[in-house]
Amino acid sequence: MSDFSATKFGRCWSSLEFGKQPHRNQVVSETVHGAQLAAAAQSANCVTCVEENKACKCGKDTEVLNLQSEHRANATSSFTHSVINMIGMLIGLGQLSTPYALENGGWSSVFLLVGLGVMCAYTSHIIGKCLEEDSSSKTYQDIGQQAFGAKGRIIASTFIYLEIFFALVSYTISLSDNLPLVLSGVHAHLSWLPLSASQLLTVVAVLVALPTLWLRDLSSISFLSFGGIVMSFLIFVTIACTAAFGGVRGNHSIPLLQLRKIPGISGLYIFSYAGHIVFPNIYIAMKDPSKFTKVSIASFAIVTMLYTALAFMGAKLFGPAVSSQITLSMPPHLIATKIALWATVLTPMTKYALEFAPFASQLEHNLPCTMSSRTRMVIRGSVGSILLLVILALALSLPYFEHVLSLAGSLVSIAISLVFPCAFYLKICWPQVSKPTVVLNGVLIVLGALLGVVGTISSSKALIQSIQSGHSR
């Protein structure tokens, strides 16, 4: 098996395992979320036991598995590589909605965007401090267990799977919104199936991506992850080209502040920074972990500047008419628009296998060791396929990208990126924490919880109203 994780972009995908010590890796953002590759390796070890007629010790010999995981995660990432990895994990689906969020919140809401970036950079820093405190902690769930025992691990894992679920629904909605523009000349209709042309095209696209859920070749899944990162950067570049050379007059005025919309857009902003689940893996892959704080500062500074530039570009170019996904507002005749639309459509198709990897690996690990490799593959692929079809049905039923993304950010991402790291840090490092730091983390917990609650209520109401208005048409 080729180890793609040893390449420039892939080192942070190499140190995850599930079972007694589940590991989570994100794309993200986007969140968010990357491939959990070593997770599948643990399951592969169990399959090897069966195929070689050896006594299976999977799930028992956790020390050996940990050593293997550490070996796979040899600390070889330089400062530059770590920054690239962290930026790649942060930039994702959330970038599409930043112009919409800025236009709706007002130009002064950029201070919220930047402020959340600063706060998330700080929580990234204290995640590194938690890992320093206990060298046996390798993942976000490990930190949760280190802080609050089994309950901490369960809570962390629950929010991780919720984030995966919301991310997949959001990706599928994005696919459904952009696909008709990419295939504008295609007219799809089946008289016996009550679906619109865009819904039918989305079903076909998801069915095309469905076989990727059956992949057990880790290098193939890593390649998909790399493709997703390239697509995210390509979207940003094409939007910048549209602003510079697209002939669109960017003279729209942006309102100063629309306070009533801040709770909803806070969820969109925080979702754009959702990458903390993968940061422990970036940390342990570094040659010099003492530079992790500098990596966090550099990465969040670059990403925040990109988001800010993209938000102002989109809001100035399209004003109140800007869509919840900036690609839907771009002039359809431009080559840059076509590239951006194709990148937006292909991104979800590269994410399905990546986002399902941690769940699939956990499922396969829990299967009896006496089960054959083929049976494991069939169960893994079948369950993943069924879940993806359920997500497809939900996405087609709730085609409200901005409300689903805002709900995901407010309900899940703000907890993972802001509240939990502060709580974990205070619990783990309490003897060494100064009083000002206690106050700072306490304020961030309260602020994060407040934004989460208010944002969840706001986005839930907006989603319900959209569903009701959609049914009344």
Side-chain angles (χ1 to χ4, degrees), residues 180-198:
L181 298 179
V182 171
L183 303 175
S184 56
V186 177
H187 302 284
H189 175 69
L190 293 176
S191 57
W192 50 272
L193 198 60
L195 295 176
S196 65
S198 63

Side-chain angles (χ1 to χ4, degrees), residues 143-352:
I143 297 174
Q145 182 167 349
Q146 182 186 352
F148 298 105
K151 291 182 180 179
R153 177 178 286 278
I154 292 172
I155 292 173
S157 299
T158 299
F159 274 79
I160 285 170
Y161 286 115
L162 279 174
E163 193 174 51
I164 292 173
F165 173 79
F166 276 111
L168 287 169
V169 172
S170 301
Y171 274 122
T172 308
I173 295 174
S174 176
L175 177 65
S176 179
D177 289 342
N178 287 275
L179 194 58
L181 298 179
V182 171
L183 303 175
S184 56
V186 177
H187 302 284
H189 175 69
L190 293 176
S191 57
W192 50 272
L193 198 60
L195 295 176
S196 65
S198 63
Q199 290 176 326
L200 191 58
L201 289 172
T202 305
V203 171
V204 173
V206 170
L207 291 177
V208 169
L210 200 63
T212 61
L213 300 184
W214 293 68
L215 287 175
R216 296 189 67 220
D217 182 351
L218 307 189
S219 59
S220 299
I221 294 178
S222 296
F223 178 77
L224 291 175
S225 184
F226 175 70
I229 293 174
V230 171
M231 295 300 171
S232 295
F233 278 104
L234 192 59
I235 291 170
F236 178 85
V237 171
T238 53
I239 294 170
C241 290
T242 300
F245 314 111
V248 181
R249 296 181 61 185
N251 56 358
H252 291 278
S253 61
I254 305 172
L256 173 63
L257 179 65
Q258 302 191 73
L259 196 59
R260 62 184 179 84
K261 295 185 178 180
I262 292 298
I265 70 165
S266 65
L268 296 176
Y269 282 153
I270 193 65
F271 187 88
S272 302
Y273 292 115
H276 289 62
I277 297 168
V278 75
F279 294 167
N281 306 103
I282 296 177
Y283 176 91
I284 63 175
M286 291 184 65
K287 286 188 292 188
D288 185 3
S290 66
K291 295 182 178 179
F292 181 75
T293 297
K294 293 181 180 179
V295 168
S296 299
I297 294 172
S299 301
F300 275 94
I302 293 171
V303 168
T304 301
M305 286 190 291
L306 290 176
Y307 283 156
T308 303
L310 181 59
F312 274 105
M313 277 193 298
K316 291 292 289 183
L317 282 173
F318 307 111
V322 67
S323 299
S324 59
Q325 300 174 71
I326 184 64
T327 51
L328 302 178
S329 299
M330 296 170 67
H333 63 280
L334 297 179
I335 295 177
T337 301
K338 298 182 187 301
I339 295 173
L341 287 171
W342 270 111
T344 307
V345 165
L346 292 175
T347 297
M349 300 181 72
T350 66
K351 299 294 185 182
Y352 290 130

Side-chain angles (χ1 to χ4, degrees), residues 384-461:
S385 300
I386 292 170
L387 289 176
L388 181 56
L389 294 177
V390 170
I391 287 171
L392 170 63
L394 184 60
L396 295 180
S397 303
L398 302 173
Y400 311 108
F401 179 82
E402 67 275 23
H403 302 321
V404 173
L405 206 64
S406 177
L407 180 61
S410 299
L411 182 63
V412 182
S413 299
I414 203 163
I416 291 177
S417 302
L418 197 59
V419 177
F420 289 172
C422 292
F424 294 162
Y425 175 64
L426 289 178
K427 185 67 167 64
I428 294 171
C429 303
W430 180 261
Q432 297 94 346
V433 179
S434 64
K435 288 184 179 180
T437 304
V438 171
V439 173
L440 172 62
N441 283 268
V443 169
L444 291 180
I445 291 173
V446 172
L447 179 61
L450 181 62
L451 284 175
V453 171
V454 175
T456 298
I457 293 172
S458 175
S459 54
S460 297
K461 286 183 176 179

Side-chain angles (χ1 to χ4, degrees), residues 100-154:
Y100 171 86
L102 186 72
E103 169 62 31
N104 280 269
W107 67 262
S108 58
S109 72
V110 74
F111 293 108
L112 176 62
L113 174 64
V114 174
L116 287 171
V118 172
M119 287 185 279
C120 287
Y122 170 74
T123 54
S124 172
H125 157 72
I126 61 177
I127 283 176
K129 292 296 183 183
C130 292
L131 293 169
E132 283 181 17
E133 195 68 18
D134 184 358
S135 60
S136 65
S137 294
K138 305 296 182 185
T139 67
Y140 194 91
Q141 293 101 317
D142 290 342
I143 297 174
Q145 182 167 349
Q146 182 186 352
F148 298 105
K151 291 182 180 179
R153 177 178 286 278
I154 292 172

